[in-house]
Amino acid sequence: MPALIVVAVAVLDLLGGSGMTWLPLLAVGPALAAVTSRPRTVLRIGLLAVVLAAVLAARGRASGGEEAIVLSALVAVTLASSLASALRVRREQVLAAVRSVAEAAQHALLKPVPAVVGEFQAAVRYSAAEAEARIGGDLYALLSTPHGVRAIVGDVRGKGLPAVGTAALVLGVFREAAYDEPDLLEVVGRIERSLSRNLGSDDFVTAVVVGYPRDGHMEVVNCGHAPPLLVHDGMVAPVEPVDPVPPLGLSGLTGETPGLQVLPFEDGDQLLLYTDGVTEARNHSREFYPLTEGMARHVSDEPSRTVAALHDELQAHVGGRLHDDAALLLLRKPVTADSRPAAEPHAPVTSPVPTGPQRTAEALTSVRADAPA
């Protein structure tokens, strides 16, 4: 394109027969080449522009002073453009190195979730608000442990490297405690104690920790986080915490301890964990993304397809650019041949229920609020 521009300017000058009028536009060629090409290519295009300018100036019988000014300007623009090209290439190399480090950090912190974990189908989608950063303050992990499948989804206060460091701390403690501790509340307690030693007084982490210790029972511990969405019998409802507690890192200020909610979780049921970057995403009309309704529209027997549809709809809702990190983690208990009725095959969810806590309250079987944090 820069070479074509130089040739086009030369043709205009030839056809116009106006002497020096068009020649200064030859500088557009090397200037544009600095944006797209390497320094050597910029120099070649600049040399082409200088040669054509000299030939056209001589043909138009321009004065020696005018010709010298145009040629000097083209040489100066070419040299400056070459320097700009060299700096751009260097920045691109540095950015590529930073991206590779970010990708390595992402794989270390937010490890890929397989399609099957324990007895669950699973899928995850994560989008950082800063596209070049690749990682941010949201966190998730899904593990198959001796105490059943366990998962965490959380959101660190703040952004940038401090948030990434806190997310790494939470995930490291969770992955260790999830294997060691048979009690899910003790897993949360170990994360709390670690954060209390390492976080500042104004820092905290909202999180939902879930576990599946035995068939038919899902344990949920919510520490100031957005309530998960439970899909059961063709209905979608939020799992509202019975006794809300502050986020992780702040329990020392209030003395409150989290409670353990136990939900019936049967074959075909699904649980969606997410961060507030999903529910607080706004469109151009400042309307929040309706996640519950979106879940009811897109839920299927394949978590990966459901999560992909939710993510695509979220991106369309915000016009393609999120203003906060967003994470989605979906668990589904597959329907086995023994639990599927022969005459009534399992049907996909097609409509939501009211978004209040009525369905969740009916699903709760027990709450342990007096267990140690």
Side-chain angles (χ1 to χ4, degrees), residues 1-353:
M1 181 62 69
L4 290 176
I5 291 176
V6 170
V7 173
V9 171
V11 172
L12 285 174
D13 188 83
L14 284 172
L15 296 177
S18 52
M20 300 292 293
T21 304
W22 295 97
L23 296 186
L25 291 179
L26 291 172
V28 174
L32 181 60
V35 180
T36 59
S37 305
R38 290 185 169 272
R40 289 184 179 180
T41 303
V42 176
L43 290 173
R44 294 190 186 102
I45 294 175
L47 179 61
L48 174 63
V50 170
V51 171
L52 288 176
V55 172
L56 293 173
R59 176 182 175 276
R61 296 188 179 89
S63 65
E66 291 177 337
E67 181 179 358
I69 291 173
V70 171
L71 295 179
S72 299
L74 286 175
V75 171
V77 170
T78 299
L79 294 177
S81 300
S82 299
L83 177 60
S85 175
L87 295 175
R88 176 186 57 79
V89 170
R90 181 178 178 82
R91 285 195 299 268
E92 288 177 350
Q93 293 172 345
V94 172
L95 179 58
V98 171
R99 282 179 173 175
S100 65
V101 172
E103 289 176 353
Q106 184 185 41
H107 286 294
L109 294 179
L110 306 177
K111 296 181 179 179
V113 172
V116 177
V117 179
E119 56 269 76
F120 288 97
Q121 296 171 287
V124 67
R125 268 300 179 94
Y126 177 84
S127 297
E130 297 296 335
E132 301 299 338
R134 306 292 178 91
I135 54 177
D138 286 6
L139 59 96
Y140 64 84
L142 179 62
L143 305 172
S144 179
T145 75
H147 314 294
V149 172
R150 288 175 168 177
I152 183 174
V153 169
D155 188 358
V156 179
R157 177 186 177 274
K159 298 182 182 298
L161 290 178
V164 174
T166 302
L169 173 64
V170 172
L171 290 174
V173 177
F174 170 77
R175 288 170 179 148
E176 184 74 17
Y179 280 93
D180 295 342
E181 303 294 344
D183 191 332
L184 192 65
L185 280 175
E186 186 54 33
V187 175
V188 177
R190 283 180 58 171
I191 298 174
E192 175 67 44
R193 291 191 292 272
S194 180
L195 290 178
S196 65
R197 293 192 298 267
N198 293 280
L199 289 188
S201 58
D202 296 332
D203 296 327
F204 58 85
V205 179
T206 67
V208 170
V209 183
V210 301
Y212 192 75
R214 60 189 187 277
D215 286 343
H217 297 82
M218 178 70 76
E219 297 179 345
V220 180
V221 180
N222 192 329
C223 299
H225 199 74
L229 294 182
L230 175 66
V231 181
H232 176 78
D233 286 342
M235 302 178 181
V236 181
V239 183
E240 300 285 356
V242 176
D243 295 317
V245 295
L248 295 170
L250 298 180
S251 65
L253 302 178
T254 63
E256 298 181 64
T257 57
L260 184 75
Q261 298 174 247
V262 182
L263 310 176
F265 202 79
E266 305 167 359
D267 289 355
D269 287 355
Q270 302 189 43
L271 190 68
L272 178 67
L273 310 178
Y274 56 93
T275 58
D276 59 7
V278 178
T279 52
E280 295 181 2
R282 298 177 184 242
N283 58 14
H284 296 299
S285 301
R286 309 298 295 169
E287 297 172 336
F288 292 111
Y289 174 65
L291 179 59
T292 302
E293 290 78 2
M295 184 65 180
R297 282 192 298 271
H298 298 297
V299 70
S300 67
D301 291 344
E302 297 181 15
S304 59
R305 185 171 65 185
T306 302
V307 170
L310 286 173
H311 182 267
D312 292 344
E313 188 173 79
L314 175 65
Q315 292 284 351
H317 182 80
V318 299
R321 181 173 178 81
L322 292 169
H323 297 286
D324 194 7
D325 302 335
L328 294 162
L329 174 62
L330 180 60
L331 298 174
R332 179 179 183 270
K333 188 73 163 57
V335 178
T336 62
D338 294 338
S339 61
R340 188 195 302 266
E344 297 181 8
H346 183 73
V349 177
T350 58
S351 61
V353 298

